[in-house]
Amino acid sequence: MKLQKGTEPSAALHGKWYDDACGTAFGLEVLGERWSMLVVRELMLGSRRFSDLRASLPGISAKVLTERLEGLERAGVLVRRQLPPPGKVQVYELTEWGLLAEPAIQELGRWAARSPRHDPTLPLSPVSLMLSLRTMVDREKAAAVQMNVGFEIGDDHFLAEIGGGNIEVRRAPTTGAELRFRAPAAPLLAGLIYGKVPADALPWLEIEGGEELRGRFLDIFQLPPKVGS
Amino acid sequence: MKLQKGTEPSAALHGKWYDDACGTAFGLEVLGERWSMLVVRELMLGSRRFSDLRASLPGISAKVLTERLEGLERAGVLVRRQLPPPGKVQVYELTEWGLLAEPAIQELGRWAARSPRHDPTLPLSPVSLMLSLRTMVDREKAAAVQMNVGFEIGDDHFLAEIGGGNIEVRRAPTTGAELRFRAPAAPLLAGLIYGKVPADALPWLEIEGGEELRGRFLDIFQLPPKVGS
DNA sequence: CAGAATCCCATTCGATACTG
DNA sequence: CAGTATCGAATGGGATTCTG
């Protein structure tokens, strides 16, 4: 550990990228480095291990992930926690403030999805898809719906509770859900929900629950309209 | 102009930073490079020239600004326009889609402003301050207010129309405003509005309009509560 | 598996100088 | 004014290796 100044990665506490009182500029100091916002996205539905994050972020290297986690911890967005024994593994978890970033992340996604250039067929992480439900739900239509829906995507299990025009999603066993989807990977499900690919064209997808229920569920989601041009 | 591959700035149409169908990831491909989102912020209240942008973004270099403008144009966020003679200067202007980014930029700012580490005393551009009015307005309180407020910050003139719980801001002469603020720079006004610095402690600030009117105006803005920790 | 430490090249940045 | 051109310095990030 040398003591030269300037040795530290600016990722550290950058704080001096922009010299600007604007909240957006400060937000960018915290979440504006490459990958940072996507790391936060992956933590949005609960704590994750280093290797979980790596697996969900195709292309990120161990070095960069380490640096981003350090930066985000220093900024107060997440904390590193040692799970109690047995297990005793280390996980990363959003702070209260970190959790509050969801609307900002959502708005950016909603805006970007309106571009004709957005390619929804790329790979997609399970968390990404689950969060998108909250972004893309049509709250008017959802107001008339009340149901619990389970999702088993690979080894990740989520429960979505729809009611009162709102939708909550959390990691939980899918037992007790009236409708349950099981798929090996998220893009498959995305095809069903957003691509409106018929279920029988997706052989690797298992669905438990009535046809009518499924229809009512699928009906409340839609991508935002593409902008002109 | 050599024809080597890889010579092009990845800023170009990067499109391959993240390989991720998530809308947020695509949003980051477009606005996630350093400075990009702040350039868009500066254009949010109308077209600006190259030198205007440089002046509003302390620290950006001509090179980087050129690169960002190219990237944003290619992505469809802004267009370059030749103003009709006389004048015949070149300006940059958001597209319909670019204009729609306001909520995303706002949400990031609103979130960041909740950090105890946010320093609101740094420099601030006029546009930044004007946009913050839309972000920080308390719509409940504003519902009872109906007025036009003018701002003259250096050479930038804005008119804010408050009514129906909403606030619109645009570049316009301040004639006809019931209340008018004039200041050499934005931070001064920010101190008055958000810092609740008393007006008589700000000698470089001119205010035209009744004391009571001014009080009702200032009352509808406040920074979001800081988060615990 | 969860990182820390090294190595090293490609990219990016900012400053300065230059141009139509 | 609106950029280009160039250059040295800083940074970024992939690959690899090492450790507990």
Side-chain angles (χ1 to χ4, degrees):
Chain A
M1 165 78 89
K2 329 245 181 59
L3 286 182
Q4 307 167 270
K5 62 196 163 186
T7 297
E8 249 174 304
S10 81
L13 219 191
H14 20 70
K16 285 290 114 178
W17 264 16
Y18 314 109
D19 186 39
D20 194 321
C22 167
T24 303
F26 181 62
L28 290 169
E29 307 260 9
V30 174
L31 294 185
E33 277 187 307
R34 205 176 154 188
W35 294 110
S36 289
M37 207 179 286
L38 299 185
V39 169
V40 173
R41 176 196 77 190
E42 285 303 315
L43 293 173
M44 201 52 88
L45 293 178
S47 40
R48 312 257 66 202
R49 305 164 57 158
F50 190 89
S51 49
D52 296 330
L53 295 171
R54 267 204 91 171
S56 304
L57 298 171
I60 197 172
S61 72
K63 181 188 180 184
V64 173
L65 180 53
T66 302
E67 287 172 1
R68 293 305 175 268
L69 288 169
E70 283 171 4
L72 291 168
E73 182 172 23
R74 205 161 350 211
V77 175
L78 56 79
V79 292
R80 172 188 313 237
R81 220 160 52 88
Q82 202 72 234
L83 246 40
K88 197 173 168 294
V89 299
Q90 183 154 266
V91 296
Y92 298 87
E93 169 175 307
L94 293 183
T95 61
E96 182 194 350
W97 184 46
L99 235 18
L100 290 174
E102 192 190 353
I105 293 175
Q106 269 185 357
E107 278 302 324
L108 184 60
R110 191 199 314 280
W111 172 74
R114 304 199 54 170
S115 168
R117 292 171 167 88
H118 176 224
D119 178 0
T121 68
L122 296 172
L124 191 68
S125 80
V127 168
S128 224
L129 176 62
M130 290 298 104
L131 288 175
S132 81
L133 296 180
R134 288 169 56 77
T135 306
M136 302 305 177
V137 67
D138 179 330
R139 297 185 186 270
E140 307 249 322
K141 287 184 178 174
V145 175
Q146 163 81 45
M147 63 171 96
N148 291 345
V149 185
F151 297 89
E152 301 188 8
I153 307 171
D155 291 333
D156 292 310
H157 295 199
F158 304 91
L159 189 66
E161 301 172 299
I162 305 172
N166 193 27
I167 172 170
E168 290 298 330
V169 182
R170 55 194 169 86
R171 288 184 186 276
T174 65
T175 52
E178 303 122 272
L179 178 61
R180 183 181 307 149
F181 296 92
R182 184 178 297 116
L188 237 56
L189 260 171
L192 178 74
I193 301 176
Y194 299 117
K196 304 303 179 194
V197 175
D200 45 19
L202 299 168
W204 304 280
L205 180 65
E206 292 173 46
I207 307 181
E208 291 168 26
E211 178 107 16
E212 188 268 346
L213 204 58
R214 179 200 317 176
R216 285 204 296 140
F217 171 74
L218 292 178
D219 186 52
I220 66 177
F221 300 99
Q222 66 176 2
L223 295 176
K226 299 292 179 188
V227 80
S229 152
Chain B
M1 164 80 85
K2 328 247 182 59
L3 285 181
Q4 307 167 269
K5 62 195 166 189
T7 298
E8 248 175 305
S10 81
L13 220 192
H14 20 68
K16 284 289 112 177
W17 265 17
Y18 313 109
D19 185 40
D20 195 319
C22 169
T24 304
F26 181 62
L28 291 169
E29 308 260 8
V30 176
L31 294 186
E33 276 188 308
R34 207 177 154 187
W35 293 111
S36 289
M37 206 179 288
L38 300 185
V39 170
V40 174
R41 177 195 76 192
E42 285 304 315
L43 293 173
M44 200 53 85
L45 293 179
S47 40
R48 314 256 66 205
R49 306 164 57 158
F50 191 89
S51 50
D52 295 330
L53 294 171
R54 266 203 93 172
S56 305
L57 299 171
I60 198 171
S61 70
K63 178 187 179 183
V64 172
L65 179 54
T66 302
E67 287 171 3
R68 293 304 176 269
L69 289 170
E70 283 170 4
L72 290 168
E73 182 171 26
R74 201 157 357 205
V77 176
L78 57 79
V79 293
R80 170 188 315 236
R81 222 160 52 87
Q82 201 74 235
L83 245 42
K88 199 173 164 293
V89 300
Q90 181 154 269
V91 296
Y92 298 89
E93 166 173 310
L94 292 184
T95 60
E96 182 194 350
W97 183 46
L99 235 17
L100 289 173
E102 192 189 354
I105 292 174
Q106 269 185 356
E107 276 302 325
L108 183 60
R110 192 201 312 281
W111 172 75
R114 304 198 52 168
S115 166
R117 291 171 167 88
H118 176 224
D119 178 0
T121 67
L122 295 172
L124 191 68
S125 79
V127 169
S128 222
L129 176 62
M130 290 299 105
L131 287 175
S132 81
L133 296 181
R134 287 169 55 77
T135 306
M136 302 306 178
V137 66
D138 179 329
R139 298 188 185 267
E140 307 250 320
K141 286 184 178 173
V145 175
Q146 163 83 44
M147 62 171 97
N148 292 345
V149 185
F151 297 88
E152 302 189 5
I153 308 172
D155 291 333
D156 293 310
H157 295 199
F158 304 92
L159 189 65
E161 300 172 298
I162 305 173
N166 194 28
I167 172 170
E168 290 298 329
V169 182
R170 56 196 168 85
R171 287 185 187 276
T174 65
T175 51
E178 303 121 271
L179 179 61
R180 183 180 308 148
F181 296 92
R182 184 176 297 117
L188 237 57
L189 259 171
L192 178 74
I193 300 176
Y194 298 118
K196 305 304 178 192
V197 175
D200 45 19
L202 299 168
W204 303 281
L205 181 65
E206 292 174 46
I207 307 181
E208 291 168 24
E211 178 108 17
E212 188 268 348
L213 203 58
R214 178 200 317 177
R216 285 204 297 140
F217 170 74
L218 293 178
D219 187 50
I220 68 177
F221 300 99
Q222 66 176 1
L223 295 175
K226 298 293 181 188
V227 81
S229 150

